[in-house]
Amino acid sequence: MSNANLLLAANTIWVVVAAILRMFMQAGFASLEAGLTTMKNAAHTAGKHVLTFGVCSPVYWEVGFGSAFGDGNTLLGTHGVAPSVDSLLAVGKAPYSFFTTVPGAAGYFFEVVFAGVSLAIVWGAMAERAKLWVYFVFGAAFTLIYSVTSHWVWGGGWLFGLGMQDFAGSTVVHYQGALAALAGALLLGPRIGKFDGRRGNPIPGHNIPYAVLGTLILWFGWFGFNPGSTLGVVTGDRVGFFAYVALTTNLAAAAGALSGAVTAWLVLRKPDISMMLNGVLAALVAVTAASGFVAPWAAVVIGLVSGVIAVVGVLAVERIGIDDPIGAVAVHGVSGVWGTVATGLFAVPALAATLKTGRGGFVYTGSLHQVWVQLLGLAAVGAFTFSASFGCLWTMKRLWGIRVEEETETAGLDVSEHGMWGYPEFYIPVPGGYGTESHGHLVAPTHPEARPAPSVEEPEAEAA
Amino acid sequence: MSNANLLLAANTIWVVVAAILRMFMQAGFASLEAGLTTMKNAAHTAGKHVLTFGVCSPVYWEVGFGSAFGDGNTLLGTHGVAPSVDSLLAVGKAPYSFFTTVPGAAGYFFEVVFAGVSLAIVWGAMAERAKLWVYFVFGAAFTLIYSVTSHWVWGGGWLFGLGMQDFAGSTVVHYQGALAALAGALLLGPRIGKFDGRRGNPIPGHNIPYAVLGTLILWFGWFGFNPGSTLGVVTGDRVGFFAYVALTTNLAAAAGALSGAVTAWLVLRKPDISMMLNGVLAALVAVTAASGFVAPWAAVVIGLVSGVIAVVGVLAVERIGIDDPIGAVAVHGVSGVWGTVATGLFAVPALAATLKTGRGGFVYTGSLHQVWVQLLGLAAVGAFTFSASFGCLWTMKRLWGIRVEEETETAGLDVSEHGMWGYPEFYIPVPGGYGTESHGHLVAPTHPEARPAPSVEEPEAEAA
Amino acid sequence: MSNANLLLAANTIWVVVAAILRMFMQAGFASLEAGLTTMKNAAHTAGKHVLTFGVCSPVYWEVGFGSAFGDGNTLLGTHGVAPSVDSLLAVGKAPYSFFTTVPGAAGYFFEVVFAGVSLAIVWGAMAERAKLWVYFVFGAAFTLIYSVTSHWVWGGGWLFGLGMQDFAGSTVVHYQGALAALAGALLLGPRIGKFDGRRGNPIPGHNIPYAVLGTLILWFGWFGFNPGSTLGVVTGDRVGFFAYVALTTNLAAAAGALSGAVTAWLVLRKPDISMMLNGVLAALVAVTAASGFVAPWAAVVIGLVSGVIAVVGVLAVERIGIDDPIGAVAVHGVSGVWGTVATGLFAVPALAATLKTGRGGFVYTGSLHQVWVQLLGLAAVGAFTFSASFGCLWTMKRLWGIRVEEETETAGLDVSEHGMWGYPEFYIPVPGGYGTESHGHLVAPTHPEARPAPSVEEPEAEAA
């Protein structure tokens, strides 16, 4: 076989494996989100990730992929809708001239799992109170919104032309998902019982080991996310550059774990496990833009800052009265902004040259040029995605309503929307428990004769 | 290094990675099956997948691999039993002339995880009532049965010669596993309390988040299952064709999720989560035969139909009085038949030529030739596997009995067979709970003073 | 692209994929360990694996990697501390001349996940009673201890020079982790209530399905662990030799499952699921040293013996009064010794030649030379690691104490150390339950009016 074909084979192996790893992030989001929300919604919360990836995949195949990566202009891909078998088997040809290193089919598969991750993020802030049909309709709509901006930054669009550095999507995937999540949280309003006056009540996740597993699945999948974004085995003149990306990704995540744990220890007096998990994820989000551009020390700095962002950001979002059950706005939004800006600060000139994208960052060049490009990208993507998402959800809310009835929410979406329990045998229908007449939300199933559980000091009170 | 060796290296990477992903499907089956059955059997149900993969691997190494892929005649491989180190390191030589793209060891590893998946399917319909030794003995027997038919279709056997199209095993792996599962379910009879007269009582799965995770692990592993079945990086004249297979696989699974959810919504009035999961799995089963042969639109059609099959099939199997706790007969059997036939309908002539297997399907050629070949394959594999499995289990039943005692089943296999609880601290020994004197099956542990849980309408009643 | 670069690309793909799989073993340890310990510590036990991998990664990047694999002398790597971007992108150059097949970054990534696994093992025997800061400080210290001995055996050190055969780390990773675990268990002492006089009370794991999932994740990750240790696609003159390593690894694990289950059946009268899981893990530990050196039959023998070791070893460790909650000393320590010695017994001369490490084993050569080398390695690594770990933990104990207060331990680390519950809604604060005044450890939450649970015969009593 020719060397060109061997290179094509190696590229395709790497890109497909990376895409497979990234697809598995759906399992991470399902476990994380189900673990960090309440028991009465556990089946629903986990299951909706299967549902929405089911929505995303055909929509992205039919329209999204062509819009994002089909040949077109700087605003939108205008070819490659509903791709033919031949176009999926070809390499570097119209309508997918963008993919020069792998067949079109590998391109689709690699990109659809990005779209699926961005969509998974959206639901985090909307958990435990949205109507089921919203997942179908807004799932499809967001997939299209996502396709537009991913064309701008990655698919040869105008931000790509300006040299915006977003290696694997701190802006495109995470910040964007978080903006739609924010729009949803604002339009849905907080869960019943979340706010008592202006003070946020903690609604603890019902299964922390599940959330830990979800976080580790996401960390694992991120090694497809970031290193896979080389789109092949050769990057500029570097063979196997993706290994370097794996290194920076791992260092940032580790730093985020430490920083999240220590920040929670300082701010909340206890190293809350879910805050540490948020630290890991925020660090992974931030290093996503940076992973191919920065030195290892900078990856550590990015991760350390992200761990602080995760804890403080989650508390700040709550403080301003937004109910974001799994912290998507802070972890994916604020940290996505941080990662995008940090890339402009810390990009190593030689690596920017290797990646042929933008320039060296402020600490090396003394120039803020790259930072401005990054900020412009954030502003443009932010304006488009937030307004499009808000408009879409606002219309849906006005026409048919996007939030479930109060009694549905109180009883839990599992039983009300799906006619089943997440854990039918663990569920103990004692008086005061979920689904009974005297049920009060936020109260774990309690036996009336039971003594109260030892009080756990509430973190929020001490964060002041 | 020579180009031939570089190609060999690339092939081996891909095949081994695919095999590793497929091996992980054992974790998917363990989580899915434990999640969809009852709490009193949770440790047993999860753990038996470790046990039976432990049975399968040495049996397949000692005998199965040679029977399936060793050199031989069109009925059976007759060489390559208990392979030597040299034969495992060689490429494309006797006794494993079949494997021309990778070393014999990669062939074994790739094929044993197929055998393990087929075996995992068997237990689904036999869950919660079989004796422990059955897993040892029938696990070994089925591994050998499986080896025979996989030789017919894949290992150069007579169905291979006829041009049967079963890309990655809708027939060989799934339908076959489901047939043994059916034999087991028939010989075991339904679980205590499943049928009340002719009406099936729902026995809800005890941990739906677990089942969701299991489904996503299976979806993930399926990207080794189907795309790995190219057995290398070049397919005909297509480099990286496996990426195309990943695309069709993903589209079908997504379509199955949507179709399963919507069908459950229509048929059961509620979009039952476990039915949606069944839809995903049924679609993956069906596209397994088709994934290398069909266009993306056909993969979507296959998935949509499978989602309907999953819901209607599970209900139909119950209606005829068969107790199949996780729906293996419908999901792997009926959908396996559908996928095999659909390949004969939808195979793109150019892809059949690329794969050098059979002809184009009915919708392209107007000829039913390929459909007849597929049906012949289904009939032959079905007759052999069902009769061999039934005969084997029937003999076991007559000689020593294959079903546990009533009190063992009532108390649960965890405590009776393994002397432990799956969740010793969640288990709440209240009156009426599992394992107590007044225990009634199908009743979640209840406190006597508790008010009844809000009634969940029973899907079966409405499906009429 | 040149053939040399194509080979480099293929090597890097394989090594990075293997490292990613191995990183995922953290999720396996988190699930396994949380599943096999008690509910009151579930969040802590799972979460600490995130924390300690967070500690390990930057420490290994800053110091460990240079000490282990940097250029240096036979005792220690003396270059390559805090590596530069250039040194991470270079291949086979100072300060990482050791890595001739992949870029330095791939080397770091591949090795740091080894260090993380060894560290994960440490905590198993220390579970449920260590103070939180111990994980930070001893996590860092052990990462450095590990780096020294891994230099000896793998990084060109003196045991490497003697021809010690430890393909993927039965000694370096597992035995070493177990020695630190033993030091920790000795210095911490047993959990409250574990020993009643001299007799060990069972403290059953709270979530066996979780432990099953963890075991299957580890089995999956082990296909990165062992086959990845070829460090590339060509081994001696064998292309794709890693597939052979996958085969031996899988056979041993399967044999360990069977042997563990049967041994538990014989010794405990019931095939305890957690013992079967220990059998799998012990077999994987033992075959780690052997996987590239031995024939398939020897892998089966190694696995069968390991399954016995797992059951008998766990009981023996308990019998001598050591409280090792998840059996790390037996499973990783005793079985690590067995695997290291077994390699000296069973190494195929031709494979030792292919791997250019040591000689054929006793059964082929009749010479005990290789066995003595293996024993010398075990003695040297054992003396260094145990004394260094014990000294470090002893100092920590004397200066600040390493064990939590009695009431902290009784209430559980989740609520005491992290201010949260692992399962806040499953937790049922009935009298006698965890965290209440009359709480007795080792008692599952019980309602006072409940009848006692059916008695499960205690395995320990029968093992006598």
Side-chain angles (χ1 to χ4, degrees):
Chain A
M1 197 158 72
S2 73
N3 286 23
N5 275 342
L6 283 167
L7 176 59
L8 174 58
N11 287 337
T12 311
I13 293 175
W14 174 240
V15 168
V16 168
V17 169
I20 295 171
L21 291 170
R22 189 147 5 102
M23 176 266 151
F24 196 46
M25 292 173 74
Q26 296 293 330
F29 282 111
S31 299
L32 176 74
E33 217 179 295
L36 291 184
T37 51
T38 59
M39 188 175 173
K40 62 181 175 179
N41 298 316
H44 166 87
T45 307
K48 76 183 170 184
H49 287 282
V50 174
L51 180 69
T52 57
F53 192 52
V55 170
C56 172
S57 294
V59 170
Y60 197 77
W61 164 64
E62 189 68 37
V63 183
F65 185 51
S67 310
F69 291 96
D71 298 342
N73 54 47
T74 58
L75 284 174
L76 202 64
T78 51
H79 294 73
V81 160
S84 67
V85 174
D86 284 344
S87 69
L88 291 168
L89 293 175
V91 181
K93 296 205 176 130
Y96 304 119
S97 324
F98 178 84
F99 289 97
T100 56
T101 54
V102 292
Y108 164 83
F109 185 47
F110 188 77
E111 298 298 343
V112 73
V113 287
F114 267 126
V117 167
S118 198
L119 184 55
I121 294 163
V122 175
W123 310 124
M126 297 172 68
E128 306 199 279
R129 58 209 191 278
K131 283 187 179 171
L132 201 59
W133 71 275
V134 173
Y135 295 105
F136 287 83
V137 176
F138 190 66
F142 180 78
T143 301
L144 299 180
I145 293 168
Y146 168 86
S147 300
V148 174
T149 58
S150 64
H151 182 78
W152 295 356
V153 182
W154 288 340
W158 64 280
L159 285 167
F160 184 84
L162 289 176
M164 181 172 179
Q165 295 170 339
D166 187 13
F167 188 69
S170 290
T171 291
V172 174
V173 178
H174 294 281
Y175 166 65
Q176 190 165 199
L179 287 168
L182 177 62
L186 290 172
L187 287 164
L188 283 168
R191 287 168 291 175
I192 296 169
K194 176 64 191 174
F195 291 104
D196 206 15
R198 291 199 41 200
R199 195 159 155 287
N201 296 314
I203 303 183
H206 85 286
N207 193 329
I208 303 301
Y210 229 78
V212 170
L213 178 61
T215 302
L216 285 166
I217 290 175
L218 288 169
W219 193 335
F220 171 66
W222 233 289
F223 291 119
F225 208 99
N226 288 3
S229 294
T230 56
L231 281 175
V233 295
V234 191
T235 308
D237 57 347
R238 295 290 183 185
V239 177
F241 181 71
F242 55 89
Y244 180 79
V245 180
L247 179 151
T248 52
T249 300
N250 194 57
L251 277 176
L258 295 178
S259 168
V262 170
T263 305
W265 213 333
L266 296 174
V267 174
L268 308 174
R269 299 214 194 138
K270 296 273 192 187
D272 185 279
I273 301 276
S274 53
M275 286 298 184
M276 180 180 72
L277 303 181
N278 276 341
V280 171
L281 297 176
L284 285 164
V285 165
V287 86
T288 292
S291 50
F293 290 100
V294 302
W297 68 263
V300 171
V301 170
I302 288 172
L304 291 174
V305 173
S306 295
V308 176
I309 288 175
V311 178
V312 175
V314 164
L315 296 175
V317 167
E318 185 173 289
R319 185 62 53 94
I320 59 176
I322 296 170
D323 181 17
D324 178 1
I326 68 150
V329 173
V331 169
H332 296 274
V334 182
S335 203
V337 169
W338 158 239
T340 305
V341 173
T343 307
L345 294 173
F346 300 132
V348 177
L351 296 177
T354 296
L355 293 166
K356 299 190 181 68
T357 311
R359 308 184 187 172
F362 176 72
V363 301
Y364 295 98
T365 62
S367 153
L368 284 169
H369 172 83
Q370 190 62 42
V371 173
W372 289 118
V373 173
Q374 305 294 94
L375 289 171
L376 177 63
L378 286 165
V381 172
F384 177 81
T385 300
F386 185 77
S387 57
S389 299
F390 194 92
C392 184
L393 285 164
W394 183 86
T395 309
M396 289 163 66
K397 180 177 177 176
R398 291 299 294 250
L399 292 178
W400 306 284
I402 58 175
R403 181 160 177 163
V404 296
E405 300 300 314
E406 187 172 335
E407 61 198 17
T408 303
E409 184 178 340
T410 302
L413 301 172
D414 283 3
V415 69
S416 330
E417 296 270 77
H418 300 282
M420 63 195 304
W421 301 104
Y423 309 92
E425 299 185 54
F426 293 132
Y427 174 90
I428 298 151
V430 292
Y434 284 126
T436 54
E437 222 171 282
S438 64
H439 167 70
H441 39 80
L442 312 190
V443 181
T446 319
H447 186 274
E449 297 168 336
R451 305 180 198 181
S455 69
V456 180
E457 291 178 354
E458 289 173 18
E460 281 70 15
E462 301 166 14
Chain B
M1 197 159 70
S2 74
N3 285 24
N5 274 342
L6 283 167
L7 177 59
L8 174 59
N11 286 337
T12 311
I13 293 176
W14 175 241
V15 168
V16 169
V17 168
I20 295 170
L21 290 170
R22 189 147 6 101
M23 177 266 151
F24 195 47
M25 292 173 75
Q26 296 294 330
F29 282 111
S31 299
L32 177 74
E33 219 180 293
L36 291 184
T37 51
T38 59
M39 188 175 172
K40 62 182 174 178
N41 298 315
H44 167 87
T45 307
K48 76 181 170 185
H49 288 282
V50 174
L51 180 70
T52 57
F53 193 53
V55 170
C56 173
S57 293
V59 171
Y60 197 77
W61 164 65
E62 189 68 37
V63 182
F65 185 51
S67 310
F69 291 97
D71 297 343
N73 53 47
T74 59
L75 283 175
L76 202 65
T78 52
H79 294 73
V81 159
S84 68
V85 174
D86 283 344
S87 69
L88 291 168
L89 293 174
V91 181
K93 297 205 177 129
Y96 304 119
S97 324
F98 178 84
F99 289 99
T100 56
T101 54
V102 292
Y108 164 82
F109 184 47
F110 188 76
E111 299 298 343
V112 73
V113 287
F114 266 124
V117 167
S118 199
L119 184 55
I121 294 162
V122 176
W123 311 124
M126 297 173 67
E128 307 200 277
R129 58 209 191 277
K131 284 187 179 172
L132 202 59
W133 71 274
V134 173
Y135 295 105
F136 288 83
V137 175
F138 189 66
F142 181 79
T143 300
L144 299 181
I145 293 169
Y146 168 86
S147 301
V148 174
T149 58
S150 65
H151 182 77
W152 295 356
V153 182
W154 288 340
W158 64 279
L159 286 167
F160 184 84
L162 289 175
M164 182 172 176
Q165 295 170 338
D166 188 13
F167 188 70
S170 290
T171 292
V172 174
V173 178
H174 294 280
Y175 166 65
Q176 189 164 202
L179 288 169
L182 177 61
L186 290 172
L187 287 164
L188 283 167
R191 288 168 290 176
I192 296 170
K194 176 64 191 176
F195 291 104
D196 205 15
R198 293 198 44 199
R199 194 160 155 286
N201 296 314
I203 303 183
H206 85 285
N207 194 329
I208 303 302
Y210 228 77
V212 170
L213 177 63
T215 302
L216 285 166
I217 290 174
L218 288 169
W219 193 334
F220 170 66
W222 233 289
F223 292 119
F225 207 98
N226 289 2
S229 294
T230 56
L231 281 175
V233 295
V234 190
T235 309
D237 57 346
R238 295 291 183 184
V239 178
F241 181 71
F242 55 88
Y244 180 79
V245 180
L247 179 151
T248 52
T249 300
N250 193 58
L251 277 177
L258 294 178
S259 168
V262 170
T263 305
W265 213 331
L266 296 174
V267 174
L268 308 174
R269 300 213 194 138
K270 296 272 191 187
D272 185 280
I273 301 274
S274 53
M275 285 298 183
M276 180 180 72
L277 303 181
N278 276 342
V280 171
L281 298 176
L284 285 164
V285 165
V287 85
T288 291
S291 51
F293 290 99
V294 302
W297 69 263
V300 171
V301 170
I302 289 171
L304 291 173
V305 173
S306 295
V308 176
I309 288 175
V311 178
V312 175
V314 164
L315 297 174
V317 167
E318 186 173 287
R319 185 61 54 93
I320 59 176
I322 295 170
D323 182 16
D324 177 2
I326 67 151
V329 173
V331 169
H332 296 274
V334 182
S335 203
V337 170
W338 157 241
T340 305
V341 173
T343 307
L345 294 173
F346 300 134
V348 177
L351 296 178
T354 296
L355 293 167
K356 298 191 181 68
T357 312
R359 307 186 187 170
F362 175 74
V363 302
Y364 295 97
T365 63
S367 154
L368 285 169
H369 172 82
Q370 191 61 44
V371 173
W372 288 118
V373 173
Q374 305 294 98
L375 289 171
L376 177 63
L378 287 165
V381 171
F384 178 81
T385 300
F386 185 77
S387 57
S389 299
F390 194 93
C392 184
L393 285 163
W394 183 87
T395 310
M396 289 164 65
K397 180 177 178 178
R398 291 299 294 253
L399 292 178
W400 306 285
I402 58 175
R403 180 158 176 164
V404 297
E405 301 300 314
E406 187 174 332
E407 61 198 15
T408 303
E409 184 178 338
T410 301
L413 301 171
D414 283 3
V415 69
S416 330
E417 295 271 76
H418 300 281
M420 64 194 302
W421 300 104
Y423 310 92
E425 300 185 54
F426 293 132
Y427 174 91
I428 298 153
V430 291
Y434 283 123
T436 54
E437 223 169 281
S438 63
H439 168 70
H441 39 82
L442 312 190
V443 181
T446 318
H447 186 274
E449 298 170 336
R451 305 180 198 182
S455 69
V456 181
E457 291 178 355
E458 291 171 18
E460 280 70 15
E462 301 167 12
Chain C
M1 196 158 71
S2 74
N3 285 23
N5 275 341
L6 284 168
L7 177 59
L8 174 59
N11 287 336
T12 311
I13 293 175
W14 175 240
V15 169
V16 168
V17 169
I20 295 170
L21 291 169
R22 191 151 359 106
M23 176 267 150
F24 195 47
M25 292 173 75
Q26 296 294 331
F29 282 110
S31 299
L32 177 75
E33 218 180 295
L36 291 184
T37 51
T38 59
M39 189 176 172
K40 62 181 175 178
N41 298 315
H44 167 88
T45 307
K48 77 183 170 184
H49 288 281
V50 174
L51 181 70
T52 57
F53 192 54
V55 170
C56 173
S57 293
V59 170
Y60 197 77
W61 165 65
E62 189 69 38
V63 182
F65 185 51
S67 310
F69 292 95
D71 297 342
N73 54 48
T74 59
L75 283 175
L76 201 65
T78 52
H79 295 74
V81 158
S84 67
V85 174
D86 283 344
S87 69
L88 291 167
L89 293 175
V91 181
K93 297 206 176 129
Y96 305 118
S97 324
F98 179 83
F99 288 98
T100 55
T101 54
V102 291
Y108 163 82
F109 185 46
F110 188 76
E111 298 298 343
V112 73
V113 287
F114 267 124
V117 167
S118 198
L119 184 56
I121 294 162
V122 176
W123 311 124
M126 297 173 69
E128 306 200 278
R129 58 209 194 275
K131 284 187 178 170
L132 201 59
W133 70 274
V134 172
Y135 295 104
F136 287 84
V137 175
F138 190 65
F142 181 79
T143 300
L144 299 180
I145 293 169
Y146 168 87
S147 300
V148 173
T149 58
S150 64
H151 181 78
W152 295 356
V153 182
W154 289 339
W158 65 279
L159 285 167
F160 183 85
L162 289 175
M164 181 174 178
Q165 294 170 338
D166 188 13
F167 188 70
S170 290
T171 292
V172 174
V173 177
H174 294 281
Y175 166 65
Q176 188 163 203
L179 288 168
L182 177 61
L186 290 172
L187 287 165
L188 283 167
R191 288 167 291 175
I192 296 169
K194 176 66 191 174
F195 291 104
D196 205 14
R198 291 198 42 198
R199 192 159 157 289
N201 296 314
I203 302 183
H206 86 285
N207 194 330
I208 303 302
Y210 228 78
V212 170
L213 178 62
T215 302
L216 284 166
I217 291 175
L218 288 168
W219 193 335
F220 170 68
W222 233 290
F223 291 119
F225 207 98
N226 289 4
S229 294
T230 56
L231 281 174
V233 295
V234 190
T235 308
D237 57 347
R238 294 291 183 185
V239 178
F241 181 72
F242 55 89
Y244 181 79
V245 180
L247 179 151
T248 52
T249 300
N250 194 58
L251 277 177
L258 295 178
S259 168
V262 171
T263 305
W265 213 333
L266 297 174
V267 173
L268 308 174
R269 300 213 192 138
K270 296 274 191 185
D272 185 280
I273 301 275
S274 52
M275 286 298 183
M276 180 180 73
L277 303 180
N278 276 342
V280 171
L281 297 176
L284 285 164
V285 165
V287 85
T288 292
S291 51
F293 289 100
V294 302
W297 67 264
V300 171
V301 170
I302 288 171
L304 291 173
V305 172
S306 294
V308 177
I309 288 176
V311 177
V312 175
V314 164
L315 297 174
V317 167
E318 185 172 289
R319 185 63 52 95
I320 59 174
I322 296 171
D323 181 17
D324 178 2
I326 67 150
V329 172
V331 169
H332 296 274
V334 181
S335 203
V337 169
W338 158 240
T340 305
V341 173
T343 307
L345 294 173
F346 300 132
V348 177
L351 296 177
T354 296
L355 294 167
K356 300 190 180 69
T357 311
R359 308 184 187 172
F362 176 73
V363 302
Y364 295 97
T365 62
S367 154
L368 284 170
H369 172 84
Q370 191 62 44
V371 173
W372 288 119
V373 172
Q374 305 294 96
L375 289 171
L376 177 63
L378 286 165
V381 172
F384 178 80
T385 300
F386 185 77
S387 57
S389 298
F390 195 92
C392 184
L393 284 164
W394 183 87
T395 310
M396 288 163 67
K397 181 177 177 177
R398 292 299 294 253
L399 293 179
W400 305 285
I402 58 175
R403 180 158 177 164
V404 296
E405 300 300 314
E406 187 173 333
E407 61 197 15
T408 303
E409 184 179 339
T410 302
L413 301 172
D414 283 2
V415 69
S416 331
E417 296 271 76
H418 301 282
M420 63 194 304
W421 301 102
Y423 310 92
E425 300 185 55
F426 293 131
Y427 173 90
I428 298 153
V430 292
Y434 283 126
T436 54
E437 222 170 282
S438 64
H439 167 71
H441 39 80
L442 311 192
V443 181
T446 319
H447 187 272
E449 296 168 337
R451 304 182 198 181
S455 69
V456 181
E457 289 177 357
E458 290 173 18
E460 279 70 14
E462 300 167 13

